[in-house]
Amino acid sequence: MYGIATILLISITCGMIHGNMTPEQRVKFFNFQNECMQETGATDDMVLKAFAGELTDSPVFKNHLVCVGMKGGVMDDAGNLNRDVMKKGIMMFVEDEVKVDAMMDKCDMHYDTKQDTAFNMMKCMFKEHFGA
């Protein structure tokens, strides 16, 4: 399915690794991560810290989030979020549809760049889900 609606976005956090992803979804997710790390120069440290809630506002990491989001179908070339794909991904980790809808409503904001949109969305989603 769509591995990222997962970092990105929700992408997206520690729970992602242990969520209700199938083995095929996990493989796709990790492939997206690896491909995007190679394409953007994001480091293992950046990605691992992100799963722990420590998001760096580095341009490299922001580009990584955009890359993963686009590969997962969560974000298009213009930086628009595909809410249906994102919701399906989030629902793999948060089984409360009302909560997911509220998180998406609060966190789906557009910024000047798709990098800032992806970064701020992930930051907001992490805060809304984990309270951090």
Side-chain angles (χ1 to χ4, degrees):
M1 195 145 124
Y2 302 98
I4 192 66
T6 51
I7 174 170
L8 231 173
L9 309 171
I10 333 171
S11 218
I12 296 178
T13 59
C14 297
M16 182 177 288
I17 295 173
H18 303 290
N20 294 323
M21 294 173 79
T22 66
E24 180 182 278
Q25 290 167 327
R26 284 191 183 118
V27 167
K28 282 185 180 183
F29 171 73
F30 288 113
N31 286 342
F32 291 164
Q33 288 290 337
N34 289 331
E35 290 169 13
C36 290
M37 288 174 72
Q38 291 175 356
E39 291 175 25
T40 65
T43 65
D44 289 338
D45 189 52
M46 286 176 179
V47 173
L48 291 174
K49 283 183 176 180
F51 285 116
E54 297 177 44
L55 308 176
T56 175
D57 65 352
S58 156
V60 170
F61 182 68
K62 289 180 179 182
N63 285 331
H64 178 76
L65 292 176
V66 169
C67 178
V68 173
M70 290 176 66
K71 287 183 184 289
V74 175
M75 180 177 273
D76 66 18
D77 289 335
N80 299 307
L81 300 175
N82 182 328
R83 288 179 61 101
D84 292 336
V85 172
M86 191 163 85
K87 183 173 181 175
K88 286 179 187 175
I90 297 168
M91 291 294 297
M92 287 191 272
F93 311 104
V94 180
E95 296 177 359
D96 181 344
E97 188 170 2
V98 172
K99 181 176 181 176
V100 170
D101 287 337
M103 289 168 58
M104 290 177 51
D105 288 344
K106 183 168 186 174
C107 298
D108 186 4
M109 296 177 276
H110 295 273
Y111 291 81
D112 290 340
T113 66
K114 57 187 168 188
Q115 288 80 5
D116 284 339
T117 297
F119 176 76
N120 286 300
M121 187 275 310
M122 182 168 179
K123 190 170 142 181
C124 178
M125 296 294 269
F126 195 93
K127 180 180 179 187
E128 289 302 306
H129 183 62
F130 293 104

